[in-house]
Amino acid sequence: MAYPLFHSNHGKFIVLTDDKTSAEKQKAEKHGTVLLDRPMIVNKLYEVIVENTVHSRFLYIRAGITIQHPASLTLPIDASRWKIEAVLIGDSYVIVHGKRKESSVGALLSQLKSLHRVGLLVDSSGWLHLYINGFDQGVAARNVPLPCFAFFELLGQNTKVLCNLAFFAH
């Protein structure tokens, strides 16, 4: 089985390196979105490893899924403004297909440090889970349509993420 890589369609301020296993945001004050290049497999955890995080008051990463193939997307500067079928997990909310609701599932996203891991998993019931450092933070959305693609949005001072090539079965 081939491991997921970052898709060549990515945010304006992102540069991919290391054979598409590393994504670096070029401007600290801007957002940068990266998507995985293949659909998620049920009960597989897809993770990124955070590198070079500078402590700031800004959220470091938002995570989510979309049912649109990465090649067909036009990426906005801010993923919360997507007009597509997507789920976006922030530190105090989840946006499901454009509708925002308060949620504590992503509370730890604002406390990430270098070498922390952020992951997503769609279980066999179609529920989307957020993982931080290998621990399930809870269900962010239910009835997730398949196939879907994971994405991660770098914010604030966060500058780099690595695609965790050892994605895990649960």
Side-chain angles (χ1 to χ4, degrees):
M1 174 184 303
Y3 291 109
L5 302 171
F6 292 122
H7 196 277
S8 57
N9 184 16
H10 51 75
K12 178 178 178 181
F13 303 107
I14 295 288
V15 172
L16 301 180
T17 57
D18 301 322
D19 294 325
K20 298 183 182 177
T21 63
S22 178
E24 188 165 357
K25 186 164 57 96
Q26 297 299 299
K27 293 194 176 190
E29 71 279 4
K30 302 293 184 182
H31 299 218
T33 302
V34 292
L35 300 106
L36 296 185
D37 68 344
R38 60 200 64 206
M40 295 177 72
I41 298 170
V42 171
N43 292 325
K44 297 278 187 193
L45 177 61
Y46 294 81
E47 291 187 319
V48 294
I49 301 170
V50 179
E51 264 198 8
N52 299 337
T53 301
V54 177
H55 181 70
S56 78
R57 63 184 181 87
F58 298 106
L59 177 69
Y60 302 122
I61 289 183
R62 294 190 288 205
I65 56 104
T66 178
I67 63 167
Q68 287 191 249
H69 192 282
S72 69
L73 289 172
T74 301
L75 299 173
I77 298 295
D78 181 341
S80 67
R81 296 188 176 136
W82 274 2
K83 305 294 184 211
I84 62 170
E85 284 195 57
V87 176
L88 177 66
I89 307 165
D91 63 341
S92 62
Y93 61 88
V94 174
I95 299 173
V96 179
H97 310 309
K99 294 181 179 152
R100 182 181 170 127
K101 67 176 184 168
E102 300 305 309
S103 173
S104 62
V105 169
L108 295 180
L109 289 172
S110 62
Q111 300 174 28
L112 297 174
K113 294 184 173 35
S114 190
L115 301 182
H116 280 190
R117 301 180 332 265
V118 177
L120 295 168
L121 178 142
V122 176
D123 69 20
S124 56
S125 297
W127 295 5
L128 175 65
H129 295 257
L130 174 70
Y131 279 76
I132 296 181
N133 294 324
F135 293 98
D136 189 349
Q137 303 300 301
V139 175
R142 290 175 167 76
N143 303 316
V144 171
L146 296 174
C148 63
F149 296 83
F151 68 86
F152 300 91
E153 184 177 37
L154 308 161
L155 293 93
Q157 298 296 314
N158 189 346
T159 59
K160 189 173 185 179
V161 292
L162 304 173
C163 196
N164 191 353
L165 295 181
F167 69 110
F168 308 97
H170 276 268

